[in-house]
Amino acid sequence: MAYRPRTRIWTPAALSVGVVRSDDLKDHLRITSTSENSYVAAIGLAATSAVERWTQRLLTVRTAVLRLENLPTGQCPIELPGGAVASVTSVVADGVTITGCVALGESPAVLVPSADWPTVIGEGYPVVITYQVGLASVPGDLVQAIKMIAADMYTTRENVVDGPSSKAIISAEWLMAPHRIWAAA
């Protein structure tokens, strides 16, 4: 079982561009004018972010930082949120760099040490794990889910109190479900 403390801080780098190009999204929305380009880009980014939150998986490779209050005992693996880990940049505990750690898997990924984890003495969140995480290539069903959510956002521009404004969200969830990362048991 992987170590996944309730008190942790996970900070991925901000999503700077949507997965679906604005031109492709405009085609999907059947928009021919340029008057709504900035709005289309904004909902594309918001839809991408929504898919990332629901799947618990970053759709573009970027830096993430996981901060922990302590380390597990022995060689217990640590769960790394975000999906497929491309590389581990650094693992620092109490200001000391820990070497020899390897990231394995992706649903969820885990960080495995080459030796027992050291005892953490520092206060706050003295364990800082920095890594590159995310998909190198986004599967077509997730791209379609982004388009469906963006279309729903485009069509319904006001807040909907009673739930999803259409069945598009339910259909998008169906497309995203195989890619969702569940917490390690």
Side-chain angles (χ1 to χ4, degrees):
M1 178 157 69
Y3 180 66
R4 183 181 199 254
R6 290 185 188 271
T7 54
R8 65 183 186 167
I9 300 171
W10 184 59
T11 312
L15 182 64
S16 58
V17 297
V19 168
V20 180
R21 293 179 331 119
S22 288
D23 288 345
D24 293 340
L25 197 49
K26 282 176 62 176
D27 287 345
H28 180 75
L29 299 172
R30 296 185 179 103
I31 299 172
T32 56
S33 73
T34 59
S35 64
E36 294 191 288
N37 282 358
S38 61
Y39 183 65
V40 169
I43 63 172
L45 193 60
T48 301
S49 181
V51 170
E52 286 188 340
R53 278 191 313 279
W54 198 90
T55 61
Q56 298 293 302
R57 181 183 302 278
L58 297 184
L59 300 183
T60 60
V61 178
R62 52 196 195 267
T63 301
V65 177
L66 178 63
R67 298 176 193 283
L68 305 171
E69 292 179 305
N70 53 42
L71 289 167
T73 58
Q75 290 183 304
C76 180
I78 297 171
E79 181 180 311
L80 297 176
V85 174
S87 64
V88 177
T89 308
S90 66
V91 179
V92 179
D94 288 332
V96 177
T97 300
I98 300 170
T99 60
C101 298
V102 178
L104 303 172
E106 67 164 283
S107 293
V110 293
L111 183 66
V112 180
S114 59
D116 287 354
W117 293 112
T119 302
V120 175
I121 300 168
E123 294 181 17
Y125 290 85
V127 178
V128 180
I129 303 167
T130 306
Y131 57 106
Q132 298 293 312
V133 60
L135 295 174
S137 176
V138 181
D141 48 357
L142 292 180
V143 169
Q144 186 61 31
I146 291 167
K147 289 178 179 180
M148 293 171 79
I149 292 169
D152 195 59
M153 289 176 175
Y154 182 77
T155 304
T156 310
R157 295 185 184 206
E158 70 278 345
N159 190 26
V160 178
V161 178
D162 296 330
S165 59
S166 73
K167 293 184 179 183
I169 301 301
I170 296 167
S171 298
E173 285 182 3
W174 184 80
L175 291 169
M176 295 183 291
H179 303 281
R180 188 165 190 177
I181 297 175
W182 301 94

